[in-house]
Amino acid sequence: MKLWSIEGNTQRLDGGSMFGNAPRTMWSKWMQPDAENRIQLATRALLATPLNGRTVLFEAGIGAFFEPKLRERYAIGGDGHVLLDSLREAGFGHEDVDVVVLSHLHFDHAGGLLSAWEEGRDPELLFPRATFVIGREQWERAHDPHPRDRASYIPALLPLLESSGRVELVDGERTPALGDAVRFHWSHGHTPGMMLAEILGPERRDDGHHGGVVFCADLVPGLPWVHVPITMGYDRCAETLIDEKQAFLDDAFARGVHLYFTHDPDCALAGLERDARGRFSGVHQVRRLQARSLGATGPG
């Protein structure tokens, strides 16, 4: 099995919102804001093949579906639909993808499922042969969002997914489309039923699989958020998320699981290190994966 980091369109969001109650004097050392206090963010997907005999894309980024006014509001970067271009650079088309795994359905994680905006045309669903794997609780949330996060969902996306007949809803740690190759972890602090997919490593010990890769979604959006107390203002419940993150990172560290970041502009993959105080940091940072084997996710 080989892994590729697949870049999507970028965005800029307010740094204070992205770092919750951390002061600007702290977070600006990690990510430099622009004149409008916004920081650059990636929307990066992960491609794995063959995984359970299939070509699998983990998430789809923000895409290019926004009309010009909203594209400007969220400072969407990149010409056209960058995710599709990145897939082509890796040697794939969206038509080649068998499974798309969505941690949750916020627009910066699922917008890439839609065709690029064209005036006078409704968006179309891409990935014509893919099964769309989504957590059931998040699917229900997207259909009936809270006023606080209603703007995070794409109203046009849900009926397109439903009419495709290719949605596979997940309740537990496994799903038929991915078999025993992927295990799901669950988080509710950012949004209900966020699904974190771990591609299981080849080494099996008494405490489980070692050496895999886990797609961290918005539990750990990038390297600065590896520090457990750091949360986002967008999170539904910061205390819940901190508790979930602590348990998640403890487990990943114990089993040598590498973290895959969707929003970090400079780092796609990192291992974990823990100091004498118990504080985590990212090590063996990798900016880009290009046909990289699962067993080579360490240094280099």
Side-chain angles (χ1 to χ4, degrees):
M1 181 176 59
K2 304 294 185 182
L3 305 174
W4 287 260
S5 54
I6 304 296
E7 300 293 334
N9 293 75
T10 60
Q11 62 176 331
R12 286 184 175 271
L13 291 178
D14 181 80
S17 296
M18 286 300 297
F19 287 104
N21 64 352
R24 178 181 166 129
T25 54
M26 178 183 290
W27 62 255
S28 61
K29 298 175 183 177
W30 304 328
M31 290 187 170
Q32 184 65 38
D34 64 15
E36 298 181 49
N37 206 50
R38 302 175 302 180
I39 58 173
Q40 181 83 6
L41 297 169
T43 65
R44 182 184 296 109
L46 173 64
L47 183 74
T49 188
L51 178 60
N52 196 39
R54 299 179 176 187
T55 297
V56 181
L57 185 69
F58 294 87
E59 297 217 340
I62 199 168
F65 74 96
F66 274 136
E67 62 181 88
K69 180 179 179 181
L70 290 176
R71 184 181 176 91
E72 181 178 356
R73 177 184 300 174
Y74 293 106
I76 307 301
D79 296 328
H81 200 316
V82 174
L83 180 84
L84 301 186
D85 295 336
S86 297
L87 280 171
R88 281 191 288 268
E89 288 176 9
F92 300 87
H94 71 99
E95 305 90 348
D96 301 319
V97 175
D98 300 305
V99 182
V100 179
V101 181
L102 297 159
S103 69
H104 60 302
L105 291 167
H106 289 175
F107 62 73
D108 54 331
H109 296 258
L113 299 178
L114 297 174
S115 58
W117 180 85
E118 292 184 44
E119 188 171 7
R121 294 190 61 178
D122 292 331
E124 298 177 0
L125 185 65
L126 304 175
F127 304 93
R129 55 183 280 189
T131 297
F132 300 101
V133 174
I134 306 165
R136 186 181 302 276
E137 186 174 2
Q138 177 61 195
W139 179 255
E140 293 170 354
R141 176 73 166 206
H143 279 82
D144 186 21
H146 189 275
R148 188 174 186 273
D149 67 354
R150 182 173 291 119
S152 297
Y153 294 103
I154 310 169
L157 177 59
L158 297 180
L160 290 174
L161 287 170
E162 288 175 325
S163 63
S164 76
R166 291 179 276 118
V167 172
E168 187 169 289
L169 299 180
V170 186
D171 294 297
E173 292 188 348
R174 300 286 195 279
T175 194
L178 302 174
D180 292 330
V182 171
R183 171 196 173 195
F184 296 115
H185 307 259
W186 295 93
S187 172
H188 308 279
H190 178 68
T191 186
M194 187 168 69
M195 191 168 66
L196 313 175
E198 178 186 346
I199 302 174
L200 295 174
E203 185 180 356
R204 184 70 184 267
R205 303 181 192 170
D206 291 342
D207 60 346
H209 289 268
H210 281 243
V213 173
V214 62
F215 196 103
C216 296
D218 280 341
L219 181 65
V220 190
L223 277 172
W225 293 269
V226 170
H227 184 38
V228 172
I230 301 299
T231 62
M232 296 187 289
Y234 301 109
D235 294 330
R236 172 177 175 242
C237 180
E239 290 187 4
T240 298
L241 186 134
I242 287 170
D243 291 343
E244 291 173 339
K245 194 196 314 188
Q246 182 71 63
F248 176 80
L249 294 179
D250 284 343
D251 175 62
F253 176 74
R255 296 187 296 110
V257 177
H258 285 73
L259 308 183
Y260 190 87
F261 305 122
T262 185
H263 287 315
D264 196 301
D266 301 313
C267 180
L269 185 82
L272 277 174
E273 185 174 74
R274 185 162 57 188
D275 65 20
R277 297 177 298 166
R279 178 169 174 163
F280 291 108
S281 59
V283 295
H284 308 317
Q285 299 169 21
V286 180
R287 186 182 183 94
R288 184 183 183 193
L289 304 181
Q290 189 171 10
R292 193 182 184 106
S293 67
L294 182 62
T297 50

